[in-house]
Amino acid sequence: MNKQRVPRSWLMLALGTGGQAASTTVLYGLAYLIPAFQRELGLSLAGAGLLVACPIIGVLLGLIGWGVVADRYGERLALSAGLLIAAAATAAAATVHGAPTLAALLVLTGAAGSSVNSASGRLVIGWFPPDRRGIAMGARQASQPLGTAVAAAALPPLAHHFGLFAAFAFCAALCGAAGIAIALCAADPPRPRRPAGAPASASPYRGGYLWRLHGAAAALCVPQFVVTGFALLFLTEVRGWSAATAGGVLAAANLAGAGVRLLVGWWSDTVASRIRPMRLLALVTTADLALLAAGAAWNSAAGTAALLLASGLTVSTNGLHNTAVAEYAGPDWAGRALGVNGMGQHAAVVLVPPLAGALIAAQGYPLLFALAAVFPLLAAVLLPARDKAAYWPAPDGGRAAPGPPTVEV
């Protein structure tokens, strides 16, 4: 039986990773279209940043709802439906020319694409035992820098040579292909057997443990969006790089970030902890962003090196906090808990692009990077003292997780 299920678990991982990477190009890759938004739509930097934030607003609106769908009706339905709706909305965005209509379609794209944030984590966690969940979720979370790398490499030249139509059509094709693949090939993971009429497990939100995880996750996302959103502009406007060179280098840096997530996931499995690696990485990220701020202020090459390093460091913890949240919430609540976790992150960053754009215009990059360094330090303080996990069935013969979580503030 195990010989049949192990390949299935890796197939589910590949499908979840592919769906996340496809949606990332349009949900989080639009920062690479800021020059095109300014050129084709006549927007200011702050206005272009607001367009970049529109999918994030949509994600905020859809996360918990898709989590409920995943918990009650299964991951396959939530993932495929969300990706196909996102593909349709993005394809429609390719045909419009006015900023207000484009903004509305991008909000719809984000609301639909948020199904991946809520459901793909459930899909991966449900098919892997605890001793392999860290690296499995690291692989799934590596899809975000992978998708960002694809966006960095593909969207600027597409928009430059063929306009925004081509860039949005590219994103729509990726989301549509991923949605069809999941609809045809995905399988919902097994769930614990419960006697007929037995109630679901109690809410994991009765204590403060999950709220501390959510708070730390939200704080860790702020510097990620600062770096992802404005690295291209920093390298082109301040360092004088060409858009093609900067896009290529940032694509490579994001690919390296994908590798970092895999390594961090393996590390967390090895030490049997998600919290300790997350706290250490938050502190290292704080130090790197402080170096970036100093390098930007003094026009030092160290600032450029710190920026490229930050492209990997700021995304390194995503797999850890999502795994910790899902493991603590358990099979009955994981979809909703991941939705709340994602909602907190996106609430924290929804105004980052427009506010950061306005801050750069008024004060420059050093202050922006210095402020970004505060948030991972806050995350290190917010994190719980130790790991806790609920029981999950081990579908492929790995170790089952311990019993029900105890409440901890």
Side-chain angles (χ1 to χ4, degrees), residues 115-191:
S115 69
V116 181
N117 300 61
S118 295
S120 66
R122 271 201 63 105
L123 188 70
V124 173
I125 289 288
W127 278 109
F128 283 85
D131 53 340
R132 291 203 294 270
R133 283 181 190 153
I135 193 168
M137 281 293 282
R140 178 259 188 182
Q141 289 299 126
S143 60
Q144 289 185 338
L146 178 61
T148 304
V150 171
L155 298 189
L158 283 172
H160 178 74
H161 293 292
F162 306 105
L164 287 171
F165 169 84
F168 283 122
F170 174 78
C171 296
L174 290 180
C175 290
I180 291 171
I182 289 171
L184 295 176
C185 303
D188 294 335
R191 303 196 181 196

Side-chain angles (χ1 to χ4, degrees), residues 26-48:
V26 66
L27 297 187
Y28 311 117
L30 296 189
Y32 299 109
L33 293 178
I34 286 178
F37 290 149
Q38 293 177 294
R39 181 177 63 251
E40 295 190 29
L41 302 177
L43 299 174
S44 65
L45 180 58

Side-chain angles (χ1 to χ4, degrees), residues 8 22 56 87 110 130 154 158 189 196 222 243 248 333 360 365 377 380 396 401 408:
R8 175 175 285 188
I56 304 172
L158 283 172
V222 173
W333 284 83
I360 291 168
Y365 287 91
L377 182 61
D396 56 356
E408 177 179 301

Side-chain angles (χ1 to χ4, degrees), residues 77-93:
L77 174 63
L79 286 168
S80 57
L83 281 166
L84 291 174
I85 296 170
T90 308

Side-chain angles (χ1 to χ4, degrees), residues 26-39 41-57 99 102-103 106-107 225 228-230 233 349-361:
V26 66
L27 297 187
Y28 311 117
L30 296 189
Y32 299 109
L33 293 178
I34 286 178
F37 290 149
Q38 293 177 294
R39 181 177 63 251
L41 302 177
L43 299 174
S44 65
L45 180 58
L50 186 58
L51 271 186
V52 172
C54 284
I56 304 172
I57 296 172
L102 178 59
L106 290 177
V107 170
F225 272 70
T228 300
F230 295 93
L233 287 176
V349 303
V350 66
L351 293 180
V352 167
L355 290 179
L359 182 61
I360 291 168

Side-chain angles (χ1 to χ4, degrees), residues 130-377:
D131 53 340
R132 291 203 294 270
R133 283 181 190 153
I135 193 168
M137 281 293 282
R140 178 259 188 182
Q141 289 299 126
S143 60
Q144 289 185 338
L146 178 61
T148 304
V150 171
L155 298 189
L158 283 172
H160 178 74
H161 293 292
F162 306 105
L164 287 171
F165 169 84
F168 283 122
F170 174 78
C171 296
L174 290 180
C175 290
I180 291 171
I182 289 171
L184 295 176
C185 303
D188 294 335
R191 303 196 181 196
R193 294 181 179 178
R194 183 179 293 109
S201 59
S203 170
Y205 284 99
R206 293 183 175 181
Y209 190 89
L210 269 184
W211 294 116
R212 294 184 67 174
L213 284 176
H214 292 332
L220 287 167
C221 273
V222 173
Q224 177 183 340
F225 272 70
V226 168
V227 172
T228 300
F230 295 93
L232 180 69
L233 287 176
F234 178 78
L235 292 176
T236 55
E237 293 182 352
V238 178
R239 293 297 189 244
W241 293 20
S242 70
T245 300
V249 170
L250 289 173
N254 279 289
L255 287 175
V260 168
R261 290 192 181 191
L262 286 171
L263 182 62
V264 166
W266 170 82
W267 177 22
S268 75
D269 286 338
T270 301
V271 300
S273 174
R274 320 300 177 196
I275 302 298
R276 282 180 289 154
M278 208 182 329
R279 181 174 284 111
L280 179 58
L281 287 167
L283 294 174
V284 173
T285 301
T286 298
D288 180 64
L289 290 171
L291 177 62
L292 171 57
W298 297 329
N299 197 27
S300 167
T304 304
L307 176 66
L308 298 179
L309 181 59
S311 297
L313 280 175
T314 57
V315 301
S316 63
T317 56
N318 291 53
L320 296 181
H321 59 69
N322 278 291
T323 306
V325 165
E327 287 184 327
Y328 182 79
D332 291 327
W333 284 83
R336 281 164 284 184
L338 286 170
V340 173
N341 197 53
M343 188 173 180
Q345 294 171 64
H346 289 83
V349 303
V350 66
L351 293 180
V352 167
L355 290 179
L359 182 61
I360 291 168
Q363 301 291 334
Y365 287 91
L367 180 59
L368 173 66
F369 295 143
L371 290 174
V374 174
F375 288 89
L377 182 61

